């Protein structure tokens, strides 16, 4: 198919009827938009996450379901097809109620994913009808028909070859006459059970569909007018970036810029599909274009900040002139499915950082992990640190980079520095309480 755009709308873009209508007009104004991928309406996934927990009373359960129902029926009440759509929403909610009561009796990871999937199911039913209401021929499509995954509930891995084959067989030809509206975030495993790809995973779903359908463009519509030089909540000096390379944007997404799910750019880069990020509230303001070749490659492009980092230092005299110590450390981490972000080493010690997912109350580094590492070496764990990532170009081969960076933040205690592995990234750890002011000063100095 020629000139095909996959358009993804995030939770705030499909939060209510007015928001959905704005998105529908974006689809209407550009005929290349043939596939729409939606997140759950804003707030719904959070309610579902709570609903899927084990210790929810039946009273709270009823309250959560009622909150979700209010959000969704507030949208459907504006639709001409109201009666029919309400029926569809109520059917999903009835299934949800059943799942939630089963979950209250016995927690089950597979049911959790079935619960979480309800948000995307409902928003896609509603959005498809909103498109119809403004005269666009559209069709609801259950993405589970094509998004085949393994059974790792909560962070399922997509079988990309199967996805491609399924799209060719079941989806490709539907695009010719209609705009397809489907779900982000969810998939189905070989047992026929619903799976999810991890929080924020709709961006990634959209990118995978773009790759599988050979799209010319992926448009990620959110509530900000593109990617900024840094978080505008930290400094009013932050400004939107019109154009950025895949390499830089991937580092940004990985190192804290919350705007894209970190995996989103992988399929786009693999298939060289340009990605646009813009605001569905103000589409006329444009956004950020992410692509392979960009007109300018400035040394400094942006600063990302990631809070709640855990620093683990492992130390062992046995490491001196020895081989295999790191392999042992990493095999323990791998066993516990911990992913290391930064690493530095000295003669007999190694420092590693881990990201605590936002809002998590528990440290990823559990007692079990520490105990196991302690059989090998001394272990210390520090919290209260933030990771600052300076993103740009040729950072590893440009003179004076570290002076430009550190001169501006004078007396901050820099706990760890990582530089040299990537051309696009210079990272360091600072105390959390100083992190915002570090970013503010750096931004002032570098931009
Ligand atoms: N609705 C899911 C979440 O809130 C997936 C997404 O929006 O990307 O995490
Ligand atoms: Mg998102």
């Amino acid at each position: 198919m020629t000139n095909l755009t996959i358009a993804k709308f995030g939770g705030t873009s499909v939060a209510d009827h007015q928001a959905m209508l704005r998105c529908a007009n974006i689809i209407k104004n550009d005929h290349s938009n043939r596939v729409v991928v939606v997140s759950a309406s804003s707030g719904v996934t959070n309610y579902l996450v709570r609903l899927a927990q084990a210790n929810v009373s039946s009273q709270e359960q009823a309250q959560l379901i009622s909150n979700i129902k209010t959000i969704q029926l507030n949208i459907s009440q504006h639709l001409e097809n109201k009666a029919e759509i309400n029926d569809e929403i109520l059917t999903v909610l009835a299934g949800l109620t059943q799942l939630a009561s089963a979950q209250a009796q016995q927690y089950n990871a597979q049911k959790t994913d079935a619960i979480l999937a309800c948000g995307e199911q409902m928003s896609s039913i509603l959005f498809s009808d909103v498109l119809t209401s403004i005269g666009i021929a559209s069709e609801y499509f259950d993405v589970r028909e094509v998004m085949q995954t393994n059974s790792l509930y909560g962070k399922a891995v997509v079988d990309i070859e199967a996805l491609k084959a399924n799209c060719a067989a079941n989806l490709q030809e539907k695009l010719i006459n209609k705009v397809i509206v489907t779900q982000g975030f969810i998939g189905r495993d070989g047992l026929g059970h619903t799976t999810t790809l991890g929080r924020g995973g709709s961006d990634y779903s959209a990118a995978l569909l773009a790759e599988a359908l050979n799209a010319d463009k992926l448009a990620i519509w959110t509530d900000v007018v593109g990617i900024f030089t840094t978080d505008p909540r930290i400094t009013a000096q932050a400004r939107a970036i019109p154009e950025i390379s895949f390499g830089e944007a991937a580092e940004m997404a990985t190192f804290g810029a919350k705007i894209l799910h970190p995996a989103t750019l992988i399929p786009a880069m693999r298939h060289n599909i340009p990605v646009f990020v813009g605001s569905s509230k103000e589409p006329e303001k444009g956004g950020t274009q992410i692509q392979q070749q960009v007109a300018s490659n400035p040394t400094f492009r942006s600063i990302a900040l990631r809070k709640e980092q855990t620093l683990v230092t492992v130390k062992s005299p046995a490491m001196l002139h020895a081989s295999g110590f790191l392999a042992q450390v990493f095999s323990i981490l791998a066993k516990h499915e911990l992913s290391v972000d930064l690493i530095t080493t000295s003669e007999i010690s190694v420092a590693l950082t881990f990201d605590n997912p936002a809002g998590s109350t528990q440290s990823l580094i559990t007692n079990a992990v520490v105990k196991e590492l302690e059989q090998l070496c001394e272990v210390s764990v520090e919290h209260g640190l933030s990771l600052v990532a300076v993103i740009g170009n040729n950072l590893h081969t440009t003179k004076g980079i570290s002076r430009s960076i550190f001169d501006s933040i004078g007396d901050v205690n820099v706990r760890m520095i990582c530089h040299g592995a990537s051309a696009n990234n210079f990272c360091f750890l600072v105390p959390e309480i100083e992190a915002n002011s570090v970013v503010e000063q750096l931004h002032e100095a570098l931009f």
Side-chain angles (χ1 to χ4, degrees):
M1 171 149 206
T2 55
N3 205 9
L4 170 66
T5 299
I6 311 297
K8 182 263 171 179
F9 295 104
T12 51
S13 296
V14 293
D16 52 38
H17 182 253
Q18 212 186 355
M20 283 199 181
L21 212 48
R22 275 194 298 261
C23 298
N25 280 302
I26 289 174
I27 300 302
K28 194 176 189 174
N29 290 337
D30 177 350
H31 294 299
S32 75
N33 287 311
R34 311 293 299 166
V35 177
V36 176
V37 177
V38 292
S39 288
S41 300
S42 186
V44 169
T45 307
N46 287 346
Y47 288 135
L48 293 169
V49 166
R50 176 69 191 135
L51 204 51
Q53 281 166 3
N55 58 342
V56 185
S57 68
S58 52
Q59 203 184 354
E60 190 186 350
Q61 235 178 54
Q63 185 60 55
L64 289 164
I65 292 175
S66 148
N67 296 348
I68 295 169
K69 184 171 167 184
T70 305
I71 294 174
Q72 311 289 225
L73 296 191
N74 272 343
I75 301 175
S76 58
Q77 65 155 329
H78 296 275
L79 299 169
E80 220 170 282
N81 249 348
K82 183 163 125 185
E84 201 180 305
I85 300 297
N86 277 355
D87 272 355
E88 290 183 45
I89 298 294
L90 293 175
T91 306
V92 176
L93 288 171
L96 176 61
T97 308
Q98 255 181 8
L99 284 163
S101 349
Q103 190 79 330
Q105 278 151 29
Q106 192 180 22
Y107 176 83
N108 175 302
Q110 174 220 317
K111 288 211 171 68
T112 295
D113 276 7
I115 289 174
L116 297 187
C118 293
E120 270 69 9
Q121 264 172 282
M122 290 185 286
S123 60
S124 53
I125 292 171
L126 292 162
F127 192 77
S128 175
D129 208 66
V130 171
L131 279 179
T132 311
S133 76
I134 65 162
I136 297 174
S138 81
E139 186 177 325
Y140 169 92
F141 181 78
D142 190 329
V143 83
R144 291 170 291 191
E145 303 291 325
V146 294
M147 197 66 76
Q148 204 164 309
T149 73
N150 67 7
S151 300
L152 209 56
Y153 301 111
K155 45 178 173 180
V157 180
V158 175
D159 180 338
I160 290 161
E161 289 314 311
L163 171 64
K164 282 183 190 162
N166 294 342
C167 281
N170 306 328
L171 184 53
Q172 196 87 47
E173 67 175 26
K174 290 187 191 288
L175 312 183
I176 297 167
N177 304 316
K178 285 188 172 154
V179 173
I180 295 300
V181 179
T182 195
Q183 308 79 34
F185 181 51
I186 71 175
R188 183 184 283 151
D189 68 7
L191 303 166
H193 298 141
T194 296
T195 55
T196 64
L197 313 186
R199 288 303 304 265
S202 292
D203 295 341
Y204 182 50
S205 304
L208 287 171
L209 286 169
E211 181 185 34
L213 291 165
N214 270 314
D216 304 279
K217 189 171 137 191
L218 168 63
I220 305 278
W221 293 99
T222 171
D223 52 5
V224 284
V225 291
I227 298 178
F228 278 65
T229 49
T230 197
D231 186 339
R233 286 167 302 187
I234 297 178
T235 167
Q237 312 276 312
R239 50 190 149 75
I241 301 169
E243 209 187 38
I244 186 170
S245 68
F246 279 136
E248 294 168 282
E251 296 279 358
M252 276 189 82
T254 309
F255 286 102
K258 288 283 173 314
I259 191 158
L260 284 181
H261 182 279
T264 312
L265 293 173
I266 299 169
M269 289 163 90
R270 222 165 23 213
H271 221 79
N272 195 12
I273 302 167
V275 179
F276 168 84
V277 180
S279 166
S280 66
K281 281 193 186 123
E282 306 171 289
E284 70 288 350
K285 288 204 171 156
T288 302
Q289 193 68 32
I290 309 171
Q291 55 203 16
Q292 202 165 50
Q293 297 292 340
V294 289
S296 81
N297 294 291
T299 306
F300 298 116
R301 179 82 79 183
S302 66
I303 306 165
L305 174 65
R306 204 158 70 173
K307 297 198 167 169
E308 289 184 59
Q309 304 302 292
T310 303
L311 178 67
V312 175
T313 308
V314 295
K315 185 174 170 189
S316 166
M319 193 174 148
L320 195 64
H321 305 308
S323 59
F325 175 73
L326 278 180
Q328 282 174 292
V329 169
F330 276 94
S331 79
I332 294 172
L333 298 173
K335 198 178 102 189
H336 291 273
E337 288 181 17
L338 289 169
S339 141
V340 176
D341 285 330
L342 306 186
I343 165 164
T344 58
T345 73
S346 78
E347 194 70 51
I348 59 162
S349 51
V350 184
L352 312 148
T353 71
F354 301 86
D355 183 35
N356 264 4
S360 62
T361 46
Q362 245 179 333
S363 170
L364 281 174
I365 311 299
T366 56
N367 283 342
V369 179
V370 173
K371 280 223 172 73
E372 214 165 316
L373 286 171
E374 273 173 349
Q375 314 216 317
L376 208 64
C377 50
E378 275 173 46
V379 181
S380 82
V381 181
E382 290 168 60
H383 297 282
L385 294 162
S386 291
L387 190 160
V388 178
V390 177
I391 313 292
N393 291 284
N394 305 318
L395 294 174
H396 62 328
T397 51
T398 307
K399 286 182 186 165
I401 288 296
S402 38
R403 181 162 0 106
S404 310
I405 293 173
F406 292 124
D407 272 2
S408 67
I409 52 169
D411 49 6
V412 173
N413 173 26
V414 175
R415 183 62 189 79
M416 176 180 182
I417 302 173
C418 269
H419 174 48
S422 157
N424 299 124
N425 185 1
F426 185 114
C427 280
F428 53 96
L429 285 185
V430 296
E432 192 117 306
I433 42 168
E434 290 176 277
N436 281 14
S437 88
V438 164
V439 171
E440 206 180 337
Q441 289 169 59
L442 258 180
H443 194 275
E444 176 84 43
L446 303 183
F447 297 98

